[in-house]
Amino acid sequence: MRELFTVAEVEDACGGDDLIVWAAQGMRPGVRAFAHGDGVAVASPGASRRDRLAVRGSTADVAAIVRHALAEVGPSYRPFGDAALVEEVARAVPELAFTAGFSWMTTTRLAGDRDAGGARWLDPGEEPEVTDLLTSANPGSYAVPGIPRVRRWAGIRDAGGRLLAVAADAWSAPTVGLLAGVATAAEARGRGLGERVCRFVARALLDEHGRASLMVDDDNRAAIGVYARLGFARRRVAAAAVPG
């Protein structure tokens, strides 16, 4: 078992896997990374509102790392990675229980060249309206105004000035930007506003970080369709946790 201390070490250990590199968060204070055999794990506190333990590799090596990492960083960290791997690791590590499957989506290039007309970065003074829109249109959003590392919000308003769609740049890593906090007012759905604000944010993330990623529930077919049209490739992932 060895500990990794730099982004370069993490990238080398995981072959540049965007999920692992994102979890490393530039190896900011509090992040720890471990490697064993062909396995790698990154313990990332508060990454998208969870203490995440992003994993990659063979089941045996990852299970060994997970046992070591949980002893080092504590049971609040949730193994997170490809769905089949997490299911196998949850069976191999008795203290873990499989919790949920969802999708990780990534792109290095947006599909098409459509305009993100009307979308712009919002000022901090507009964030109370973002909170109101999320409360009604996406109350389960992990990204909300005012919490650490939710960096900025983009939005689209109608002709009367009402905020209709939003998306955030949140928990981005140096080489993997994260799109989060997407919401569209119920009465404005079906008009492509969500796709436009996501295109605006994703384009900015690509310009700054080179890769853009997001997390989405597997049953949110409408959102997955939007992200696919934008050029995001889907990857089935899952999480496990120590109960309690």
Side-chain angles (χ1 to χ4, degrees), residues 166-190:
V166 297
D169 166 1
W171 301 287
S172 289
T175 59
V176 184
L178 194 75
L179 171 67
V182 179
T184 302
E187 67 276 16
R189 291 172 186 167

PDB file of all heavy atoms in Angstrom, residues 166-190:
ATOM      1  N   VAL A 166     -31.218  27.656 -14.609  1.00  0.00           N
ATOM      2  CA  VAL A 166     -29.920  27.896 -13.980  1.00  0.00           C
ATOM      3  C   VAL A 166     -29.053  26.643 -14.066  1.00  0.00           C
ATOM      4  O   VAL A 166     -29.550  25.520 -14.232  1.00  0.00           O
ATOM      5  CB  VAL A 166     -30.048  28.303 -12.494  1.00  0.00           C
ATOM      6  CG1 VAL A 166     -30.782  29.620 -12.351  1.00  0.00           C
ATOM      7  CG2 VAL A 166     -30.717  27.206 -11.674  1.00  0.00           C
ATOM      8  N   ALA A 167     -27.744  26.840 -13.912  1.00  0.00           N
ATOM      9  CA  ALA A 167     -26.777  25.756 -13.776  1.00  0.00           C
ATOM     10  C   ALA A 167     -25.540  26.339 -13.116  1.00  0.00           C
ATOM     11  O   ALA A 167     -25.283  27.542 -13.216  1.00  0.00           O
ATOM     12  CB  ALA A 167     -26.431  25.136 -15.127  1.00  0.00           C
ATOM     13  N   ALA A 168     -24.771  25.481 -12.455  1.00  0.00           N
ATOM     14  CA  ALA A 168     -23.627  25.952 -11.673  1.00  0.00           C
ATOM     15  C   ALA A 168     -22.317  25.315 -12.105  1.00  0.00           C
ATOM     16  O   ALA A 168     -22.279  24.193 -12.623  1.00  0.00           O
ATOM     17  CB  ALA A 168     -23.853  25.656 -10.187  1.00  0.00           C
ATOM     18  N   ASP A 169     -21.266  26.050 -11.856  1.00  0.00           N
ATOM     19  CA  ASP A 169     -19.884  25.554 -11.870  1.00  0.00           C
ATOM     20  C   ASP A 169     -19.562  25.280 -10.402  1.00  0.00           C
ATOM     21  O   ASP A 169     -19.436  26.208  -9.598  1.00  0.00           O
ATOM     22  CB  ASP A 169     -18.979  26.633 -12.471  1.00  0.00           C
ATOM     23  CG  ASP A 169     -17.483  26.402 -12.248  1.00  0.00           C
ATOM     24  OD1 ASP A 169     -17.109  25.384 -11.642  1.00  0.00           O
ATOM     25  OD2 ASP A 169     -16.694  27.262 -12.679  1.00  0.00           O
ATOM     26  N   ALA A 170     -19.453  23.978 -10.042  1.00  0.00           N
ATOM     27  CA  ALA A 170     -19.321  23.627  -8.623  1.00  0.00           C
ATOM     28  C   ALA A 170     -18.371  22.458  -8.448  1.00  0.00           C
ATOM     29  O   ALA A 170     -18.387  21.513  -9.237  1.00  0.00           O
ATOM     30  CB  ALA A 170     -20.691  23.267  -8.051  1.00  0.00           C
ATOM     31  N   TRP A 171     -17.533  22.525  -7.420  1.00  0.00           N
ATOM     32  CA  TRP A 171     -16.597  21.451  -7.094  1.00  0.00           C
ATOM     33  C   TRP A 171     -15.712  21.089  -8.291  1.00  0.00           C
ATOM     34  O   TRP A 171     -15.336  19.926  -8.476  1.00  0.00           O
ATOM     35  CB  TRP A 171     -17.326  20.212  -6.580  1.00  0.00           C
ATOM     36  CG  TRP A 171     -18.144  20.482  -5.353  1.00  0.00           C
ATOM     37  CD1 TRP A 171     -17.687  20.696  -4.080  1.00  0.00           C
ATOM     38  CD2 TRP A 171     -19.573  20.579  -5.274  1.00  0.00           C
ATOM     39  NE1 TRP A 171     -18.741  20.918  -3.231  1.00  0.00           N
ATOM     40  CE2 TRP A 171     -19.917  20.855  -3.925  1.00  0.00           C
ATOM     41  CE3 TRP A 171     -20.604  20.443  -6.219  1.00  0.00           C
ATOM     42  CZ2 TRP A 171     -21.220  21.008  -3.511  1.00  0.00           C
ATOM     43  CZ3 TRP A 171     -21.908  20.602  -5.801  1.00  0.00           C
ATOM     44  CH2 TRP A 171     -22.209  20.876  -4.458  1.00  0.00           C
ATOM     45  N   SER A 172     -15.388  22.063  -9.103  1.00  0.00           N
ATOM     46  CA  SER A 172     -14.524  21.783 -10.247  1.00  0.00           C
ATOM     47  C   SER A 172     -13.094  21.544  -9.789  1.00  0.00           C
ATOM     48  O   SER A 172     -12.612  22.163  -8.827  1.00  0.00           O
ATOM     49  CB  SER A 172     -14.571  22.944 -11.247  1.00  0.00           C
ATOM     50  OG  SER A 172     -15.825  22.982 -11.909  1.00  0.00           O
ATOM     51  N   ALA A 173     -12.410  20.635 -10.477  1.00  0.00           N
ATOM     52  CA  ALA A 173     -10.994  20.356 -10.257  1.00  0.00           C
ATOM     53  C   ALA A 173     -10.187  21.040 -11.351  1.00  0.00           C
ATOM     54  O   ALA A 173     -10.750  21.453 -12.371  1.00  0.00           O
ATOM     55  CB  ALA A 173     -10.756  18.846 -10.276  1.00  0.00           C
ATOM     56  N   PRO A 174      -8.876  21.176 -11.190  1.00  0.00           N
ATOM     57  CA  PRO A 174      -8.091  21.896 -12.186  1.00  0.00           C
ATOM     58  C   PRO A 174      -8.253  21.395 -13.613  1.00  0.00           C
ATOM     59  O   PRO A 174      -8.279  22.206 -14.550  1.00  0.00           O
ATOM     60  CB  PRO A 174      -6.647  21.712 -11.688  1.00  0.00           C
ATOM     61  CG  PRO A 174      -6.784  21.612 -10.204  1.00  0.00           C
ATOM     62  CD  PRO A 174      -8.046  20.840  -9.992  1.00  0.00           C
ATOM     63  N   THR A 175      -8.372  20.075 -13.804  1.00  0.00           N
ATOM     64  CA  THR A 175      -8.494  19.562 -15.171  1.00  0.00           C
ATOM     65  C   THR A 175      -9.817  18.857 -15.446  1.00  0.00           C
ATOM     66  O   THR A 175      -9.984  18.234 -16.489  1.00  0.00           O
ATOM     67  CB  THR A 175      -7.328  18.598 -15.492  1.00  0.00           C
ATOM     68  OG1 THR A 175      -7.350  17.504 -14.566  1.00  0.00           O
ATOM     69  CG2 THR A 175      -5.990  19.312 -15.428  1.00  0.00           C
ATOM     70  N   VAL A 176     -10.779  18.979 -14.525  1.00  0.00           N
ATOM     71  CA  VAL A 176     -12.129  18.434 -14.731  1.00  0.00           C
ATOM     72  C   VAL A 176     -13.127  19.388 -14.096  1.00  0.00           C
ATOM     73  O   VAL A 176     -13.244  19.452 -12.871  1.00  0.00           O
ATOM     74  CB  VAL A 176     -12.308  17.028 -14.117  1.00  0.00           C
ATOM     75  CG1 VAL A 176     -13.696  16.480 -14.458  1.00  0.00           C
ATOM     76  CG2 VAL A 176     -11.230  16.067 -14.591  1.00  0.00           C
ATOM     77  N   GLY A 177     -13.858  20.141 -14.926  1.00  0.00           N
ATOM     78  CA  GLY A 177     -14.898  21.015 -14.401  1.00  0.00           C
ATOM     79  C   GLY A 177     -16.165  20.231 -14.139  1.00  0.00           C
ATOM     80  O   GLY A 177     -16.445  19.243 -14.828  1.00  0.00           O
ATOM     81  N   LEU A 178     -16.948  20.646 -13.144  1.00  0.00           N
ATOM     82  CA  LEU A 178     -18.190  19.935 -12.821  1.00  0.00           C
ATOM     83  C   LEU A 178     -19.394  20.847 -13.023  1.00  0.00           C
ATOM     84  O   LEU A 178     -19.459  21.948 -12.467  1.00  0.00           O
ATOM     85  CB  LEU A 178     -18.178  19.423 -11.383  1.00  0.00           C
ATOM     86  CG  LEU A 178     -19.288  18.395 -11.084  1.00  0.00           C
ATOM     87  CD1 LEU A 178     -18.950  17.041 -11.702  1.00  0.00           C
ATOM     88  CD2 LEU A 178     -19.520  18.232  -9.591  1.00  0.00           C
ATOM     89  N   LEU A 179     -20.347  20.362 -13.796  1.00  0.00           N
ATOM     90  CA  LEU A 179     -21.628  21.021 -14.032  1.00  0.00           C
ATOM     91  C   LEU A 179     -22.629  20.478 -13.019  1.00  0.00           C
ATOM     92  O   LEU A 179     -22.772  19.260 -12.873  1.00  0.00           O
ATOM     93  CB  LEU A 179     -22.093  20.725 -15.461  1.00  0.00           C
ATOM     94  CG  LEU A 179     -23.504  21.134 -15.872  1.00  0.00           C
ATOM     95  CD1 LEU A 179     -23.641  22.648 -15.905  1.00  0.00           C
ATOM     96  CD2 LEU A 179     -23.841  20.546 -17.237  1.00  0.00           C
ATOM     97  N   ALA A 180     -23.312  21.349 -12.313  1.00  0.00           N
ATOM     98  CA  ALA A 180     -24.239  20.918 -11.260  1.00  0.00           C
ATOM     99  C   ALA A 180     -25.369  21.934 -11.131  1.00  0.00           C
ATOM    100  O   ALA A 180     -25.381  22.964 -11.805  1.00  0.00           O
ATOM    101  CB  ALA A 180     -23.495  20.769  -9.933  1.00  0.00           C
ATOM    102  N   GLY A 181     -26.330  21.635 -10.242  1.00  0.00           N
ATOM    103  CA  GLY A 181     -27.369  22.592  -9.906  1.00  0.00           C
ATOM    104  C   GLY A 181     -28.267  23.002 -11.051  1.00  0.00           C
ATOM    105  O   GLY A 181     -28.738  24.135 -11.103  1.00  0.00           O
ATOM    106  N   VAL A 182     -28.546  22.074 -11.979  1.00  0.00           N
ATOM    107  CA  VAL A 182     -29.360  22.411 -13.150  1.00  0.00           C
ATOM    108  C   VAL A 182     -30.842  22.415 -12.774  1.00  0.00           C
ATOM    109  O   VAL A 182     -31.341  21.496 -12.137  1.00  0.00           O
ATOM    110  CB  VAL A 182     -29.101  21.402 -14.285  1.00  0.00           C
ATOM    111  CG1 VAL A 182     -29.973  21.724 -15.501  1.00  0.00           C
ATOM    112  CG2 VAL A 182     -27.625  21.397 -14.661  1.00  0.00           C
ATOM    113  N   ALA A 183     -31.532  23.463 -13.173  1.00  0.00           N
ATOM    114  CA  ALA A 183     -32.974  23.546 -12.905  1.00  0.00           C
ATOM    115  C   ALA A 183     -33.640  24.457 -13.924  1.00  0.00           C
ATOM    116  O   ALA A 183     -33.058  25.457 -14.349  1.00  0.00           O
ATOM    117  CB  ALA A 183     -33.235  24.074 -11.494  1.00  0.00           C
ATOM    118  N   THR A 184     -34.867  24.093 -14.304  1.00  0.00           N
ATOM    119  CA  THR A 184     -35.690  24.911 -15.195  1.00  0.00           C
ATOM    120  C   THR A 184     -37.071  25.044 -14.577  1.00  0.00           C
ATOM    121  O   THR A 184     -37.648  24.058 -14.102  1.00  0.00           O
ATOM    122  CB  THR A 184     -35.823  24.266 -16.593  1.00  0.00           C
ATOM    123  OG1 THR A 184     -34.518  24.080 -17.154  1.00  0.00           O
ATOM    124  CG2 THR A 184     -36.645  25.147 -17.527  1.00  0.00           C
ATOM    125  N   ALA A 185     -37.602  26.250 -14.560  1.00  0.00           N
ATOM    126  CA  ALA A 185     -38.954  26.477 -14.024  1.00  0.00           C
ATOM    127  C   ALA A 185     -39.951  25.576 -14.738  1.00  0.00           C
ATOM    128  O   ALA A 185     -39.874  25.384 -15.961  1.00  0.00           O
ATOM    129  CB  ALA A 185     -39.338  27.941 -14.202  1.00  0.00           C
ATOM    130  N   ALA A 186     -40.890  25.015 -13.989  1.00  0.00           N
ATOM    131  CA  ALA A 186     -41.825  24.038 -14.548  1.00  0.00           C
ATOM    132  C   ALA A 186     -42.550  24.569 -15.771  1.00  0.00           C
ATOM    133  O   ALA A 186     -42.706  23.864 -16.776  1.00  0.00           O
ATOM    134  CB  ALA A 186     -42.822  23.612 -13.471  1.00  0.00           C
ATOM    135  N   GLU A 187     -42.996  25.817 -15.728  1.00  0.00           N
ATOM    136  CA  GLU A 187     -43.778  26.365 -16.833  1.00  0.00           C
ATOM    137  C   GLU A 187     -42.935  26.697 -18.056  1.00  0.00           C
ATOM    138  O   GLU A 187     -43.473  26.989 -19.131  1.00  0.00           O
ATOM    139  CB  GLU A 187     -44.531  27.617 -16.375  1.00  0.00           C
ATOM    140  CG  GLU A 187     -43.655  28.806 -16.028  1.00  0.00           C
ATOM    141  CD  GLU A 187     -43.114  28.781 -14.617  1.00  0.00           C
ATOM    142  OE1 GLU A 187     -43.153  27.700 -13.977  1.00  0.00           O
ATOM    143  OE2 GLU A 187     -42.647  29.835 -14.155  1.00  0.00           O
ATOM    144  N   ALA A 188     -41.579  26.637 -17.915  1.00  0.00           N
ATOM    145  CA  ALA A 188     -40.698  26.969 -19.042  1.00  0.00           C
ATOM    146  C   ALA A 188     -40.044  25.736 -19.653  1.00  0.00           C
ATOM    147  O   ALA A 188     -39.229  25.870 -20.569  1.00  0.00           O
ATOM    148  CB  ALA A 188     -39.626  27.949 -18.582  1.00  0.00           C
ATOM    149  N   ARG A 189     -40.404  24.550 -19.194  1.00  0.00           N
ATOM    150  CA  ARG A 189     -39.784  23.339 -19.725  1.00  0.00           C
ATOM    151  C   ARG A 189     -40.262  23.055 -21.145  1.00  0.00           C
ATOM    152  O   ARG A 189     -41.343  23.467 -21.534  1.00  0.00           O
ATOM    153  CB  ARG A 189     -40.066  22.160 -18.796  1.00  0.00           C
ATOM    154  CG  ARG A 189     -39.331  22.304 -17.468  1.00  0.00           C
ATOM    155  CD  ARG A 189     -39.712  21.268 -16.446  1.00  0.00           C
ATOM    156  NE  ARG A 189     -39.068  21.578 -15.147  1.00  0.00           N
ATOM    157  CZ  ARG A 189     -39.391  21.016 -14.000  1.00  0.00           C
ATOM    158  NH1 ARG A 189     -40.356  20.101 -13.963  1.00  0.00           N
ATOM    159  NH2 ARG A 189     -38.761  21.364 -12.893  1.00  0.00           N
ATOM    160  N   GLY A 190     -39.411  22.341 -21.890  1.00  0.00           N
ATOM    161  CA  GLY A 190     -39.744  22.020 -23.268  1.00  0.00           C
ATOM    162  C   GLY A 190     -39.344  23.086 -24.258  1.00  0.00           C
ATOM    163  O   GLY A 190     -39.619  22.957 -25.458  1.00  0.00           O
TER     164      GLY A 190
END
